[in-house]
Amino acid sequence: MVSRSYSNLLELASGEAPSPSFSRMSRRIPRIMTVAGIMSDIDDDGSDSISSDPSSSSSQKDRIIIVANQLPIKVQRKTDNSKGWTFSWDDNSLYLQLKDCLGDEDTEFIYVGCLKEEIHPNDQDEVSQILLETFKCVPTFLPPDLYSRYYHGFCKQQLWPLFHYMLPLSPDLGGRFNRSLWQAYVSVNKIFADRIMEVINPEDDYVWIHDYHLMVLPTFLRKRFNRVKLGFFLHSPFPSSEIYKTLPIREEILRGLLNSDLIGFHTFDYARHFLSCCSRMLGISYESKRGYIGLDYYGRTVSIKILPVGIHMGQLQSVLSLPETEAKVAELVKQFSGQGRTMLLGVDDMDIFKGISLKLLAMEQLLLQHPEKKGKVVLVQIALPARGKGKDVKEVQDETYATVKRINETFGEPGYDPVILIDQPLKFYVRVAYYVAAECCLVTAVRDGMNLIPYEYVISRQGNEQFDKVLGLETSTPKKSMLVLSEFIGCSPSLSGAIRVNPWNIDVVAEAMESAIVMAEPEKQLRHDKHYKYVSTHDVSYWGKSFLQDLERTCKDHVRRRCWGIGFGLSFRVVALDPNFRKLAMEHIVSAYKRTTTRAILLDYDGTLMPQNSIDKKPSSKTLDILNSLCRDKNNVVFIVSSRPRNKLAEWFSSCEKLGIAAEHGYFVRMKRDDEWETSIPEVECNWKQIAEPVMQLYTETTDGSMIELKEISMGWCYEDADPDFGSCQAKELLDHLESVLANEPVTVKSGSSCVEVKPQGVSKGIVAKRLLTWMQERGMSPDFVVCIGDDRSDEDMFEVISSSTSGPCIAPHAEVFACTVGRKPSKAKYYLDDTAEIVRLMKGLASVSELMIPMY
């Protein structure tokens, strides 16, 4: 049987898909050899195929491929002198907990990642087969030097510090950017892609990538399969744009993430920073629709998910039920409560961002400010091994040991140490026992992505009947717990009953510790109850299901979109368009142009013939020559439809004798240069300007880079030179403000491209299109060729009129109609062109055809 997965990566390189006859084959994962793309044990007897077993079709499971830097596998070398390894599940791994909580009855989980131990190349084939058959894990074997440069080099010395707001201002403060380490990072991401390719069924499988180690992996996968269903979750903070933009490869990473379908973050702050980076560095803005945040990336909607991860309730409760946990709790109660001492608990990795030394200094300050606490309060600091290595870890260790020693020497006495430092690995049940016995848990990290320690503490303090007996509580006694949390960790927003602190302010942290100790029991109980309700309902199962539901929702329209890839290397992206929305081909429109004899050409100006970011907005001599060539063709009626004032347009296009112009969104119209200006609607009063102008002036004064554009019957507030985030925010406020103060005036307030505009009711570019078509019909010139091109929301009115007129008398039967927008975006137009340069080339092509055909008339 041939697996539904691609069995040879050479097929991918050649762009060949598997034979359609295999489309319903079993999803059995092929055995994987260590050579990328080669699989063993592919048998040909049809016994495993669906067609030979009618019942098997109903037993197909959804497949989720979970990709992370490390597999959820523990590895140990066999101890009995025999060669080989033993493998077991790592119960503490979040990725395994996902499988446990979501269940594997309806879903099949496959894991792709590295092992925590180096496997000799001679053993890799055997290890791959064991892991695949026993655990459905696909190991990614990396040469030690490559892994070191990728993980300890780029990930831990460059990405991780930067994402935690540490800039490499000097060689001692984080790693300076190193191109060779970046190349190692890219190489490893590509190797991961190759391993995924060996097991993926791209039409059905979902791929869920985790964390900053694999941020360009989505690009490699999207390049192989344009419609791959791809989610990414970042477990670390995402820094503000001011920090992130210092990264030399900032755009490559952003584009890598945007090649996902769904990007998840723990908090709104992290998501907001990412969206701000996309806006400032790539010019991509986001929209919120019915509660969902999305970015339009070349026609693909990339959704943003904001949801903090939870804990595995079942696992923690099972540990709480262990007899050894109960025994350890009894021991700790005797050690602390039995001697009248209150235990404060800290559990942190020994790294520079966890703020252990700041916590110790706060404990020292507490004892200085409250001498009566001496002998009655103990801080137990469990220091877990750091995940990275280097000089900074050694410095943190040295500072921690020295501070603990100083505090104990200053405030200690026989039988009492105010700080107990435990700097060795602890079994999970021991850690849980400390949670149960601690009156307060302190997490004072200066920056942390999420941190689940407070969640574990809250559930542990809820306890069970056995712990009630150990703690001397009645079963009906309300539980209590206290949290002192840093403002800079991901779990802080979700735990609103915690005492939140700035960890850098030692005095405030000391006061929070004092408050946690002396707070009234009923309030402690209320805070605990609030936290317990949240943590117990927002567990890892809730998180996983919610993310996968959103991923499914985001990917549901993949099959109905036309997709193709553009760009090279890490700039690769996929263009995804509605089947009826396609690029306007030069040969198509030129062919129609040649066949027709009565043509209407309507062109927007700014953003269509003239780039939006151009400083000099005056049309070039080339543009004027093209327009004159089109106007000289007696079969053409050419119109410029703009929001600009008529005097400016008349000045700019004074050399175009036969060019029609519609100014101020079509309020002023003239058919030729020497004609008088007419109005599309009855003349209007502009008394409303006396109300609108002071409001706009207020926002201009408070928004650097903005300006007011005064016209005869309209006015606009433009902010294209302002800070994009602040300008957009101010524009929304101004829109609401103007709508409020002008509610009783005969005007409309609309938001455009970097502009908020006020104009009389009934004025739109659609009126110009309708007027022109009617004018031509009345003269027996119903057009058999119509082209209408524009770039923003105001041009959508023209598109709508053009499209609705195709079935009416204004346009000739079987006319060639081309409504075209600039850029790939939702539009009422059926065609698009990428930019103004393509539009100018198109108009030049049509003008060239007219120049050739003029002698024939």
Side-chain angles (χ1 to χ4, degrees):
M1 181 207 84
V2 179
S3 166
R4 294 185 68 188
S5 306
Y6 281 108
S7 59
N8 196 319
L9 291 183
L10 295 177
E11 291 177 352
L12 307 178
S14 64
E16 296 176 4
S19 169
S21 62
F22 301 136
S23 64
R24 288 178 56 80
M25 289 294 176
S26 165
R27 295 192 181 198
R28 177 178 67 84
I29 308 173
R31 291 182 180 178
I32 297 178
M33 302 298 287
T34 54
V35 179
I38 308 300
M39 293 170 231
S40 63
D41 275 18
I42 298 181
D43 47 84
D44 293 318
D45 68 37
S47 59
D48 289 336
S49 73
I50 288 181
S51 59
S52 65
D53 181 6
S55 65
S56 63
S57 61
S58 62
S59 62
Q60 277 197 353
K61 297 180 179 181
D62 291 331
R63 282 210 324 183
I64 299 171
I65 300 174
I66 295 181
V67 190
N69 178 53
Q70 288 190 339
L71 290 171
I73 294 290
K74 292 180 180 178
V75 186
Q76 285 186 323
R77 186 175 289 279
K78 291 182 179 178
T79 56
D80 55 355
N81 294 329
S82 61
K83 294 182 178 180
W85 302 83
T86 59
F87 304 97
S88 61
W89 288 116
D90 181 357
D91 293 332
N92 293 324
S93 170
L94 170 69
Y95 314 121
L96 179 62
Q97 293 173 6
L98 267 176
K99 174 184 176 182
D100 191 28
C101 290
L102 296 178
D104 54 5
E105 293 182 2
D106 301 318
T107 306
E108 182 180 0
F109 288 85
I110 302 167
Y111 295 95
V112 179
C114 299
L115 290 169
K116 297 175 184 178
E117 298 289 340
E118 181 185 343
I119 307 295
H120 192 277
N122 294 340
D123 299 332
Q124 288 177 4
D125 287 357
E126 180 185 357
V127 168
S128 292
Q129 188 164 324
I130 292 171
L131 290 176
L132 184 61
E133 293 178 347
T134 309
F135 300 96
K136 292 184 180 177
C137 288
V138 180
T140 303
F141 298 114
L142 302 174
D145 176 64
L146 178 63
Y147 182 82
S148 178
R149 287 186 291 125
Y150 146 73
Y151 183 75
H152 297 294
F154 192 76
C155 290
K156 283 299 181 183
Q157 294 301 318
Q158 296 186 1
L159 276 184
W160 191 69
L162 188 80
F163 277 33
H164 288 74
Y165 287 73
M166 176 183 282
L167 289 174
L169 300 176
S170 72
D172 294 334
L173 296 173
R176 294 280 176 86
F177 179 76
N178 185 314
R179 178 78 44 186
S180 67
L181 298 182
W182 162 244
Q183 290 168 348
Y185 181 85
V186 173
S187 297
V188 169
N189 276 247
K190 187 177 184 301
I191 292 171
F192 267 81
D194 291 339
R195 297 302 274 171
I196 295 168
M197 300 296 295
E198 296 172 354
V199 294
I200 189 174
N201 171 21
E203 295 177 1
D204 298 322
D205 294 348
Y206 290 91
V207 181
W208 188 356
I209 301 170
H210 291 266
D211 225 1
Y212 63 95
H213 315 92
L214 301 169
M215 289 194 291
V216 297
L217 175 56
T219 295
F220 291 115
L221 292 178
R222 185 71 61 190
K223 193 170 187 177
R224 311 278 179 93
F225 297 118
N226 291 169
R227 291 186 176 87
V228 65
K229 302 171 183 177
L230 187 54
F232 183 96
F233 198 94
L234 183 67
H235 293 272
S236 77
F238 195 93
S240 70
S241 59
E242 290 300 305
I243 297 292
Y244 180 80
K245 70 181 180 182
T246 64
L247 196 60
I249 37 80
R250 60 194 189 185
E251 290 192 10
E252 289 87 337
I253 288 180
L254 286 179
R255 292 192 186 279
L257 293 175
L258 288 171
N259 275 318
S260 305
D261 293 298
L262 178 65
I263 307 172
F265 299 92
H266 286 306
T267 72
F268 173 70
D269 276 348
Y270 303 162
R272 178 168 55 86
H273 294 157
F274 172 75
L275 294 170
S276 176
C277 288
C278 290
S279 172
R280 292 170 180 270
M281 294 164 213
L282 301 179
I284 300 171
S285 57
Y286 72 92
E287 287 187 353
S288 181
K289 294 182 179 178
R290 296 185 179 181
Y292 295 107
I293 300 174
L295 302 101
D296 182 78
Y297 188 56
Y298 292 90
R300 289 176 49 249
T301 297
V302 181
S303 296
I304 302 299
K305 178 75 172 177
I306 302 168
L307 184 67
V309 69
I311 61 174
H312 189 337
M313 287 290 294
Q315 182 195 53
L316 186 52
Q317 286 170 344
S318 66
V319 172
L320 285 167
S321 301
L322 294 175
E324 48 262 52
T325 308
E326 183 181 346
K328 185 64 180 178
V329 170
E331 177 188 327
L332 294 174
V333 169
K334 182 179 179 181
Q335 180 181 351
F336 295 101
S337 301
Q339 298 185 31
R341 292 171 182 167
T342 299
M343 187 215 298
L344 309 179
L345 179 66
V347 181
D348 305 276
D349 292 346
M350 184 75 83
D351 71 48
I352 56 176
F353 296 111
K354 293 302 187 287
I356 294 177
S357 59
L358 296 175
K359 188 187 306 179
L360 296 174
L361 292 175
M363 179 64 181
E364 183 178 39
Q365 190 70 7
L366 174 69
L367 295 173
L368 282 171
Q369 294 177 348
H370 301 277
E372 72 280 3
K373 293 288 190 288
K374 181 179 177 181
K376 297 180 180 178
V377 177
V378 177
L379 171 63
V380 176
Q381 176 61 54
I382 299 175
L384 305 174
R387 301 179 193 181
K389 59 184 181 181
K391 185 174 68 173
D392 54 353
V393 175
K394 182 68 167 60
E395 289 175 351
V396 170
Q397 290 174 334
D398 292 344
E399 182 182 10
T400 300
Y401 297 149
T403 306
V404 170
K405 182 179 178 182
R406 186 185 71 246
I407 293 173
N408 286 341
E409 287 177 350
T410 303
F411 300 97
E413 55 189 31
Y416 170 69
D417 283 332
V419 179
I420 298 175
L421 178 64
I422 302 173
D423 61 344
Q424 60 187 10
L426 295 179
K427 291 185 177 180
F428 188 50
Y429 83 87
V430 177
R431 203 166 85 199
V432 169
Y434 275 99
Y435 291 148
V436 175
E439 285 294 313
C440 176
C441 181
L442 300 100
V443 181
T444 57
V446 296
R447 188 73 60 179
D448 206 353
M450 181 58 192
N451 201 315
L452 294 175
I453 298 298
Y455 284 18
E456 294 174 349
Y457 170 71
V458 168
I459 300 302
S460 299
R461 288 289 290 180
Q462 183 69 16
N464 52 38
E465 291 184 6
Q466 288 88 341
F467 290 129
D468 289 342
K469 295 176 182 177
V470 173
L471 297 171
L473 301 174
E474 297 290 335
T475 306
S476 59
T477 304
K479 304 301 189 295
K480 61 180 180 178
S481 63
M482 283 303 302
L483 288 169
V484 175
L485 299 184
S486 164
E487 299 169 346
F488 305 116
I489 61 176
C491 66
S492 178
S494 60
L495 297 171
S496 56
I499 302 176
R500 297 193 182 112
V501 295
N502 173 4
W504 300 100
N505 192 330
I506 303 302
D507 291 331
V508 168
V509 178
E511 289 173 10
M513 295 164 73
E514 162 68 6
S515 297
I517 295 170
V518 302
M519 185 176 290
E521 296 293 302
E523 186 170 351
K524 289 182 180 180
Q525 293 162 1
L526 286 172
R527 290 174 183 249
H528 169 81
D529 188 52
K530 185 175 186 179
H531 291 159
Y532 180 76
K533 286 178 180 177
Y534 176 84
V535 175
S536 60
T537 54
H538 291 72
D539 60 357
V540 69
S541 174
Y542 176 87
W543 173 74
K545 287 177 181 176
S546 182
F547 186 91
L548 292 171
Q549 285 171 1
D550 276 15
L551 181 59
E552 183 179 3
R553 174 188 58 79
T554 304
C555 298
K556 69 175 185 288
D557 65 342
H558 276 11
V559 292
R560 69 176 188 84
R561 290 194 169 262
R562 293 185 300 116
C563 300
W564 67 92
I566 59 173
F568 297 98
L570 295 177
S571 294
F572 176 86
R573 59 265 190 206
V574 166
V575 177
L577 299 175
D578 189 277
N580 297 320
F581 185 61
R582 55 190 183 275
K583 189 167 186 176
L584 184 55
M586 174 74 83
E587 57 272 18
H588 184 194
I589 192 171
V590 167
S591 173
Y593 190 84
K594 289 178 178 179
R595 293 195 306 270
T596 52
T597 56
T598 308
R599 312 183 191 100
I601 301 173
L602 295 95
L603 302 171
D604 173 46
Y605 184 67
D606 290 284
T608 302
L609 291 177
M610 175 61 61
Q612 287 283 9
N613 57 0
S614 176
I615 296 176
D616 184 5
K617 300 294 186 180
K618 186 178 177 180
S620 65
S621 58
K622 176 183 176 182
T623 301
L624 294 173
D625 289 343
I626 291 171
L627 291 172
N628 275 321
S629 295
L630 290 170
C631 291
R632 280 194 295 269
D633 189 333
K634 66 179 183 180
N635 290 350
N636 291 347
V637 177
V638 184
F639 246 83
I640 293 292
V641 187
S642 173
S643 61
R644 289 190 174 273
R646 58 176 170 171
N647 59 345
K648 184 65 69 177
L649 293 173
E651 175 191 339
W652 285 352
F653 296 100
S654 58
S655 62
C656 302
E657 179 183 354
K658 297 182 179 180
L659 177 68
I661 296 177
E664 298 204 31
H665 291 290
Y667 181 80
F668 296 109
V669 179
R670 74 177 189 193
M671 301 304 292
K672 294 180 182 178
R673 183 186 64 189
D674 298 329
D675 290 354
E676 293 294 324
W677 288 97
E678 300 177 6
T679 59
S680 299
I681 62 174
E683 291 191 20
V684 295
E685 296 287 336
C686 291
N687 297 331
W688 55 266
K689 286 187 178 181
Q690 299 174 8
I691 303 172
E693 187 172 1
V695 176
M696 287 189 178
Q697 189 62 44
L698 172 65
Y699 284 81
T700 303
E701 292 171 359
T702 57
T703 311
D704 187 41
S706 65
M707 59 174 287
I708 299 174
E709 187 176 5
L710 287 170
K711 305 171 190 176
E712 289 183 63
I713 57 94
S714 64
M715 62 189 303
W717 184 77
C718 304
Y719 60 95
E720 61 184 355
D721 294 330
D723 178 272
D725 287 339
F726 185 57
S728 178
C729 178
Q730 290 288 80
K732 291 174 183 175
E733 289 290 328
L734 175 60
L735 186 71
D736 291 342
H737 197 158
L738 288 172
E739 285 179 341
S740 175
V741 299
L742 297 174
N744 297 321
E745 301 293 332
V747 295
T748 58
V749 185
K750 287 194 174 183
S751 177
S753 177
S754 299
C755 181
V756 176
E757 194 162 30
V758 185
K759 59 185 180 182
Q761 289 177 352
V763 175
S764 75
K765 291 184 179 181
I767 291 180
V768 180
K770 191 170 185 179
R771 177 171 178 158
L772 176 61
L773 295 177
T774 303
W775 181 86
M776 294 180 73
Q777 181 201 8
E778 289 172 350
R779 286 157 180 74
M781 300 167 52
S782 293
D784 54 2
F785 175 95
V786 180
V787 60
C788 178
I789 307 178
D791 74 304
D792 67 12
R793 295 177 188 173
S794 64
D795 300 306
E796 294 296 318
D797 295 327
M798 285 197 295
F799 301 150
E800 186 174 16
V801 168
I802 296 295
S803 300
S804 62
S805 298
T806 53
S807 58
C810 293
I811 296 180
H814 310 295
E816 301 282 358
V817 178
F818 302 92
C820 177
T821 188
V822 182
R824 307 169 187 86
K825 56 180 181 286
S827 174
K828 294 172 183 174
K830 290 187 177 181
Y831 298 92
Y832 77 91
L833 288 171
D834 286 324
D835 50 36
T836 57
E838 287 195 349
I839 292 161
V840 172
R841 280 197 298 271
L842 175 65
M843 292 298 109
K844 184 179 180 181
L846 298 183
S848 300
V849 173
S850 285
E851 292 289 340
L852 293 173
M853 295 175 69
I854 284 175
M856 299 170 57
Y857 298 138

